[in-house]
Short mmCIF file of all heavy atoms in Angstrom, two decimals:
data_model
loop_
_atom_site.label_atom_id
_atom_site.label_comp_id
_atom_site.label_asym_id
_atom_site.label_seq_id
_atom_site.Cartn_x
_atom_site.Cartn_y
_atom_site.Cartn_z
N ASP A 1 -40.03 41.59 -25.52
CA ASP A 1 -40.29 40.19 -25.22
C ASP A 1 -40.19 39.36 -26.49
O ASP A 1 -40.85 39.64 -27.49
CB ASP A 1 -41.69 40.02 -24.60
CG ASP A 1 -41.85 38.69 -23.90
OD1 ASP A 1 -41.81 37.65 -24.60
OD2 ASP A 1 -42.01 38.67 -22.66
N GLY A 2 -39.35 38.31 -26.44
CA GLY A 2 -39.12 37.48 -27.61
C GLY A 2 -40.32 36.69 -28.06
O GLY A 2 -40.37 36.24 -29.22
N SER A 3 -41.32 36.50 -27.19
CA SER A 3 -42.50 35.73 -27.58
C SER A 3 -43.24 36.40 -28.72
O SER A 3 -43.88 35.74 -29.55
CB SER A 3 -43.43 35.52 -26.39
OG SER A 3 -43.93 36.76 -25.91
N GLU A 4 -43.18 37.74 -28.79
CA GLU A 4 -43.83 38.46 -29.89
C GLU A 4 -43.18 38.12 -31.22
O GLU A 4 -43.85 37.88 -32.23
CB GLU A 4 -43.74 39.97 -29.65
CG GLU A 4 -44.47 40.43 -28.40
CD GLU A 4 -44.14 41.87 -28.05
OE1 GLU A 4 -43.41 42.50 -28.83
OE2 GLU A 4 -44.62 42.35 -27.01
N VAL A 5 -41.84 38.10 -31.23
CA VAL A 5 -41.11 37.75 -32.46
C VAL A 5 -41.42 36.33 -32.87
O VAL A 5 -41.69 36.04 -34.04
CB VAL A 5 -39.59 37.93 -32.24
CG1 VAL A 5 -38.83 37.57 -33.51
CG2 VAL A 5 -39.27 39.35 -31.80
N LEU A 6 -41.40 35.40 -31.90
CA LEU A 6 -41.68 34.00 -32.20
C LEU A 6 -43.09 33.84 -32.77
O LEU A 6 -43.31 33.09 -33.73
CB LEU A 6 -41.53 33.16 -30.93
CG LEU A 6 -41.86 31.66 -31.05
CD1 LEU A 6 -40.90 30.99 -32.03
CD2 LEU A 6 -41.80 30.99 -29.69
N ALA A 7 -44.05 34.54 -32.19
CA ALA A 7 -45.43 34.42 -32.65
C ALA A 7 -45.59 34.95 -34.08
O ALA A 7 -46.32 34.36 -34.89
CB ALA A 7 -46.36 35.19 -31.70
N VAL A 8 -44.92 36.05 -34.39
CA VAL A 8 -44.98 36.59 -35.76
C VAL A 8 -44.44 35.58 -36.76
O VAL A 8 -45.01 35.35 -37.83
CB VAL A 8 -44.21 37.92 -35.85
CG1 VAL A 8 -44.04 38.34 -37.30
CG2 VAL A 8 -44.92 39.01 -35.07
N LEU A 9 -43.32 34.95 -36.42
CA LEU A 9 -42.70 33.98 -37.33
C LEU A 9 -43.55 32.72 -37.47
O LEU A 9 -43.71 32.20 -38.58
CB LEU A 9 -41.29 33.63 -36.84
CG LEU A 9 -40.31 34.80 -36.73
CD1 LEU A 9 -38.95 34.32 -36.27
CD2 LEU A 9 -40.19 35.52 -38.06
N LEU A 10 -44.09 32.21 -36.37
CA LEU A 10 -44.91 31.00 -36.44
C LEU A 10 -46.19 31.23 -37.22
O LEU A 10 -46.67 30.34 -37.94
CB LEU A 10 -45.25 30.53 -35.02
CG LEU A 10 -44.11 29.92 -34.19
CD1 LEU A 10 -44.60 29.57 -32.79
CD2 LEU A 10 -43.54 28.68 -34.87
N SER A 11 -46.76 32.42 -37.11
CA SER A 11 -48.03 32.71 -37.78
C SER A 11 -47.91 32.66 -39.29
O SER A 11 -48.91 32.48 -40.00
CB SER A 11 -48.55 34.08 -37.34
OG SER A 11 -47.73 35.12 -37.83
N ARG A 12 -46.70 32.81 -39.81
CA ARG A 12 -46.51 32.77 -41.26
C ARG A 12 -46.71 31.39 -41.84
O ARG A 12 -47.01 31.25 -43.02
CB ARG A 12 -45.10 33.28 -41.62
CG ARG A 12 -44.87 34.74 -41.27
CD ARG A 12 -43.45 35.17 -41.57
NE ARG A 12 -43.26 36.59 -41.28
CZ ARG A 12 -42.10 37.23 -41.38
NH1 ARG A 12 -41.03 36.56 -41.77
NH2 ARG A 12 -42.01 38.51 -41.11
N ASN A 13 -46.54 30.37 -41.03
CA ASN A 13 -46.66 28.99 -41.51
C ASN A 13 -47.76 28.21 -40.80
O ASN A 13 -47.83 26.99 -40.92
CB ASN A 13 -45.32 28.26 -41.33
CG ASN A 13 -44.19 28.91 -42.11
OD1 ASN A 13 -44.31 29.14 -43.31
ND2 ASN A 13 -43.11 29.24 -41.42
N MET A 14 -48.60 28.92 -40.03
CA MET A 14 -49.67 28.26 -39.29
C MET A 14 -50.98 29.00 -39.53
O MET A 14 -50.97 30.21 -39.76
CB MET A 14 -49.34 28.22 -37.78
CG MET A 14 -48.08 27.45 -37.43
SD MET A 14 -47.71 27.50 -35.65
CE MET A 14 -49.10 26.53 -35.01
N PRO A 15 -52.11 28.29 -39.47
CA PRO A 15 -53.41 28.94 -39.71
C PRO A 15 -53.96 29.66 -38.48
O PRO A 15 -55.14 29.58 -38.17
CB PRO A 15 -54.30 27.76 -40.10
CG PRO A 15 -53.75 26.61 -39.32
CD PRO A 15 -52.25 26.83 -39.29
N PHE A 16 -53.07 30.35 -37.75
CA PHE A 16 -53.47 31.07 -36.55
C PHE A 16 -52.90 32.48 -36.60
O PHE A 16 -51.83 32.71 -37.18
CB PHE A 16 -52.99 30.36 -35.28
CG PHE A 16 -53.49 28.96 -35.13
CD1 PHE A 16 -52.65 27.88 -35.38
CD2 PHE A 16 -54.80 28.70 -34.75
CE1 PHE A 16 -53.10 26.58 -35.27
CE2 PHE A 16 -55.26 27.39 -34.62
CZ PHE A 16 -54.42 26.33 -34.89
N SER A 17 -53.59 33.41 -35.96
CA SER A 17 -53.09 34.78 -35.89
C SER A 17 -51.99 34.87 -34.84
O SER A 17 -51.82 33.97 -34.00
CB SER A 17 -54.22 35.75 -35.54
OG SER A 17 -54.64 35.55 -34.20
N VAL A 18 -51.26 35.98 -34.86
CA VAL A 18 -50.22 36.21 -33.87
C VAL A 18 -50.82 36.24 -32.47
O VAL A 18 -50.28 35.66 -31.52
CB VAL A 18 -49.48 37.54 -34.16
CG1 VAL A 18 -48.50 37.86 -33.03
CG2 VAL A 18 -48.74 37.46 -35.47
N GLY A 19 -51.99 36.89 -32.33
CA GLY A 19 -52.64 36.96 -31.03
C GLY A 19 -53.02 35.59 -30.50
O GLY A 19 -52.89 35.31 -29.31
N ASP A 20 -53.49 34.70 -31.40
CA ASP A 20 -53.86 33.34 -30.99
C ASP A 20 -52.64 32.57 -30.48
O ASP A 20 -52.72 31.86 -29.47
CB ASP A 20 -54.48 32.58 -32.16
CG ASP A 20 -55.85 33.13 -32.55
OD1 ASP A 20 -56.48 33.76 -31.69
OD2 ASP A 20 -56.25 32.95 -33.71
N ILE A 21 -51.52 32.72 -31.16
CA ILE A 21 -50.30 32.00 -30.78
C ILE A 21 -49.77 32.49 -29.44
O ILE A 21 -49.38 31.70 -28.57
CB ILE A 21 -49.23 32.14 -31.88
CG1 ILE A 21 -49.71 31.44 -33.16
CG2 ILE A 21 -47.90 31.54 -31.43
CD1 ILE A 21 -48.81 31.68 -34.35
N ILE A 22 -49.78 33.81 -29.24
CA ILE A 22 -49.32 34.36 -27.97
C ILE A 22 -50.22 33.90 -26.83
O ILE A 22 -49.75 33.56 -25.74
CB ILE A 22 -49.28 35.91 -28.03
CG1 ILE A 22 -48.14 36.36 -28.93
CG2 ILE A 22 -49.13 36.51 -26.64
CD1 ILE A 22 -48.01 37.86 -29.06
N LEU A 23 -51.53 33.87 -27.08
CA LEU A 23 -52.46 33.40 -26.06
C LEU A 23 -52.18 31.94 -25.71
O LEU A 23 -52.22 31.55 -24.53
CB LEU A 23 -53.90 33.55 -26.57
CG LEU A 23 -55.02 33.20 -25.59
CD1 LEU A 23 -54.96 34.12 -24.37
CD2 LEU A 23 -56.38 33.30 -26.27
N PHE A 24 -51.88 31.13 -26.72
CA PHE A 24 -51.57 29.72 -26.50
C PHE A 24 -50.30 29.56 -25.67
O PHE A 24 -50.24 28.77 -24.72
CB PHE A 24 -51.41 29.02 -27.85
CG PHE A 24 -51.13 27.55 -27.76
CD1 PHE A 24 -52.14 26.64 -27.46
CD2 PHE A 24 -49.84 27.07 -27.98
CE1 PHE A 24 -51.87 25.29 -27.37
CE2 PHE A 24 -49.56 25.72 -27.89
CZ PHE A 24 -50.58 24.81 -27.59
N ILE A 25 -49.26 30.32 -26.01
CA ILE A 25 -47.99 30.27 -25.27
C ILE A 25 -48.20 30.67 -23.81
O ILE A 25 -47.74 30.02 -22.88
CB ILE A 25 -46.94 31.17 -25.94
CG1 ILE A 25 -46.56 30.63 -27.32
CG2 ILE A 25 -45.69 31.30 -25.06
CD1 ILE A 25 -45.67 31.56 -28.12
N ASN A 26 -48.93 31.77 -23.64
CA ASN A 26 -49.13 32.28 -22.28
C ASN A 26 -50.01 31.38 -21.43
O ASN A 26 -49.90 31.39 -20.20
CB ASN A 26 -49.72 33.68 -22.34
CG ASN A 26 -48.70 34.73 -22.73
OD1 ASN A 26 -47.51 34.55 -22.50
ND2 ASN A 26 -49.14 35.82 -23.32
N ALA A 27 -50.89 30.60 -22.06
CA ALA A 27 -51.72 29.67 -21.30
C ALA A 27 -50.84 28.69 -20.52
O ALA A 27 -51.08 28.43 -19.34
CB ALA A 27 -52.66 28.92 -22.24
N PHE A 28 -49.79 28.17 -21.16
CA PHE A 28 -48.87 27.26 -20.48
C PHE A 28 -48.07 27.98 -19.39
O PHE A 28 -47.80 27.42 -18.33
CB PHE A 28 -47.92 26.62 -21.49
CG PHE A 28 -48.56 25.56 -22.33
CD1 PHE A 28 -49.05 25.85 -23.59
CD2 PHE A 28 -48.70 24.26 -21.85
CE1 PHE A 28 -49.65 24.88 -24.37
CE2 PHE A 28 -49.30 23.27 -22.62
CZ PHE A 28 -49.78 23.58 -23.88
N ILE A 29 -47.70 29.24 -19.67
CA ILE A 29 -46.93 30.00 -18.68
C ILE A 29 -47.75 30.25 -17.43
O ILE A 29 -47.28 30.09 -16.30
CB ILE A 29 -46.45 31.33 -19.30
CG1 ILE A 29 -45.44 31.05 -20.41
CG2 ILE A 29 -45.83 32.24 -18.22
CD1 ILE A 29 -45.03 32.28 -21.19
N PHE A 30 -49.02 30.61 -17.59
CA PHE A 30 -49.87 30.89 -16.43
C PHE A 30 -50.25 29.61 -15.68
O PHE A 30 -50.46 29.63 -14.46
CB PHE A 30 -51.12 31.65 -16.86
CG PHE A 30 -50.83 33.05 -17.36
CD1 PHE A 30 -51.43 33.53 -18.52
CD2 PHE A 30 -49.95 33.87 -16.69
CE1 PHE A 30 -51.16 34.80 -18.99
CE2 PHE A 30 -49.65 35.14 -17.14
CZ PHE A 30 -50.27 35.62 -18.30
N ILE A 31 -50.32 28.49 -16.40
CA ILE A 31 -50.53 27.21 -15.72
C ILE A 31 -49.32 26.90 -14.83
O ILE A 31 -49.46 26.48 -13.68
CB ILE A 31 -50.75 26.08 -16.74
CG1 ILE A 31 -52.12 26.24 -17.41
CG2 ILE A 31 -50.66 24.71 -16.07
CD1 ILE A 31 -52.36 25.29 -18.55
N GLY A 32 -48.12 27.14 -15.36
CA GLY A 32 -46.91 26.96 -14.56
C GLY A 32 -46.89 27.89 -13.37
O GLY A 32 -46.47 27.50 -12.26
N ALA A 33 -47.37 29.13 -13.56
CA ALA A 33 -47.42 30.08 -12.45
C ALA A 33 -48.35 29.60 -11.36
O ALA A 33 -48.13 29.87 -10.16
CB ALA A 33 -47.86 31.45 -12.96
N GLY A 34 -49.40 28.87 -11.75
CA GLY A 34 -50.33 28.34 -10.76
C GLY A 34 -49.66 27.38 -9.80
O GLY A 34 -49.99 27.34 -8.60
N PHE A 35 -48.70 26.58 -10.29
CA PHE A 35 -47.99 25.63 -9.43
C PHE A 35 -47.00 26.34 -8.50
O PHE A 35 -46.71 25.86 -7.41
CB PHE A 35 -47.24 24.61 -10.29
CG PHE A 35 -48.13 23.61 -10.96
CD1 PHE A 35 -48.45 23.75 -12.30
CD2 PHE A 35 -48.68 22.55 -10.26
CE1 PHE A 35 -49.28 22.84 -12.94
CE2 PHE A 35 -49.52 21.63 -10.88
CZ PHE A 35 -49.82 21.78 -12.22
#
């Protein structure tokens, strides 16, 4: 899954862990799944 790669790269320039970024991304995905 490419989201793992994206999260690793974003975490290098952001004050968040990889797990935090993946959780943030997936929050929007699951909201979309709700609709």
Side-chain angles (χ1 to χ4, degrees):
D1 197 294
S3 63
E4 297 169 4
V5 180
L6 177 63
V8 169
L9 300 182
L10 289 177
S11 68
R12 295 177 178 176
N13 300 307
M14 298 177 68
F16 302 104
S17 70
V18 174
D20 292 336
I21 295 172
I22 289 180
L23 184 62
F24 181 76
I25 294 172
N26 284 334
F28 285 97
I29 294 173
F30 293 135
I31 289 173
F35 288 102

